[in-house]
Amino acid sequence: GAGVSQSPRYKVAKRGQDVALRCDPISGHVSLFWYQQALGQGPEFLTYFQNEAQLDKSGLPSDRFFAERPEGSVSTLKIQRTQQEDSAVYLCASSLGYRVDQPQHFGDGTRLSIL
Amino acid sequence: SQQGEEDPQALSIQEGENATMNCSYKTSINNLQWYRQNSGRGLVHLILIRSNEREKHSGRLRVTLDTSKKSSSLLITASRAADTASYFCATDEHIEETSGSRLTFGEGTQLTVNP
């Protein structure tokens, strides 16, 4: 596709439910990043993939958060037993190269609301 | 954690005026990037300045970098109503626990350009 695509755009879930957020990066992009953005704040790093390898997951806030990119393209961020503090916009970004400090291309995010 | 801090938090100007936003950071960097985010959308990369550069131009954008003061500024000249957005600086922050680095965003400046 022309850009990074994320689905769904909006997700409402009840506290305790599991959710799965999908990211389709730009074709051929090696690096893929997940960020969490609270209202009025900048994006906060969650995790980073280089192809199918998850090289950095130190930003995941708890073991309820899990991300995968099994074939090195599409990625899924899963949140188990959701809590109200998980409400945020989840952004996915991809970049062509291997360095984390290269320009990143962002999707429009998934706005997650936990009731 | 957010390495960068933008100043001001909010800026309101008239169309045609110049807008200046500042960013300060804490650790040594390889480069500094500026991104723009329209409401409800993902971030868009604007410009990257390397640590050995002092100034860079791109269209109506001018970025400066002062590594001795650990600060950068983004100047938008002859602003337009369409420039209304949030602007974020981002730096590569070394992460001790992974011996890697990640892109760390500031909290952003909300720019409003009034027609």
Side-chain angles (χ1 to χ4, degrees):
Chain A
V4 177
S5 177
Q6 291 188 247
S7 60
R9 285 282 281 130
Y10 303 92
K11 177 68 179 178
V12 179
K14 292 182 179 178
R15 186 163 52 95
Q17 289 183 330
D18 298 348
V19 298
L21 313 180
R22 177 187 169 105
C23 173
D24 281 85
I26 293 173
S27 178
H29 276 199
V30 168
S31 297
L32 185 144
F33 308 84
W34 283 99
Y35 295 89
Q36 181 188 62
Q37 185 175 28
L39 190 64
Q41 301 291 312
E44 292 260 9
F45 171 85
L46 293 177
T47 187
Y48 159 56
F49 289 86
Q50 198 177 92
N51 295 310
E52 69 279 3
Q54 189 175 22
L55 298 189
D56 185 352
K57 57 181 180 179
S58 62
L60 296 176
S62 77
D63 58 8
R64 297 185 296 104
F65 286 71
F66 171 77
E68 59 182 4
R69 193 187 185 196
E71 297 179 357
S73 55
V74 172
S75 177
T76 303
L77 176 66
K78 297 179 180 178
I79 309 173
Q80 297 176 324
R81 305 181 302 282
T82 53
Q83 300 178 4
Q84 285 193 324
E85 60 262 31
D86 298 335
S87 295
V89 175
Y90 290 85
L91 295 167
C92 175
S94 68
S95 65
L96 183 61
Y98 293 87
R99 291 177 60 93
V100 299
D101 60 354
Q102 291 183 330
Q104 297 180 12
H105 300 262
F106 282 79
D108 285 338
T110 294
R111 183 177 296 276
L112 176 64
S113 298
I114 305 299
L115 305 178
Chain B
S1 64
Q2 297 198 304
Q3 164 152 249
E5 292 185 5
E6 277 92 345
D7 166 54
Q9 286 190 329
L11 179 61
S12 182
I13 60 174
Q14 295 300 122
E15 216 167 18
E17 293 180 340
N18 296 340
T20 300
M21 290 159 272
N22 303 296
C23 167
S24 59
Y25 56 92
K26 298 172 186 172
T27 64
S28 61
I29 60 173
N30 291 320
N31 63 51
L32 184 144
Q33 303 176 40
W34 284 90
Y35 287 79
R36 165 199 168 119
Q37 184 178 34
N38 285 61
S39 180
R41 304 297 300 274
L43 281 76
V44 175
H45 179 261
L46 295 176
I47 194 166
L48 180 153
I49 185 166
R50 303 196 183 283
S51 59
N52 61 354
E53 297 176 307
R54 292 295 168 260
E55 188 171 312
K56 198 163 183 179
H57 297 252
S58 176
R60 293 184 296 114
L61 305 180
R62 174 184 165 231
V63 169
T64 62
L65 179 64
D66 187 335
T67 52
S68 66
K69 295 181 179 178
K70 291 187 168 59
S71 68
S72 173
S73 68
L74 171 67
L75 168 68
I76 304 175
T77 60
S79 64
R80 306 166 182 167
D83 294 329
T84 295
S86 292
Y87 291 83
F88 297 91
C89 67
T91 56
D92 56 304
E93 177 184 5
H94 178 72
I95 306 301
E96 291 286 343
E97 53 201 336
T98 63
S99 299
S101 62
R102 65 174 65 144
L103 205 58
T104 303
F105 291 82
E107 296 188 356
T109 292
Q110 171 60 51
L111 173 67
T112 301
V113 181
N114 301 299

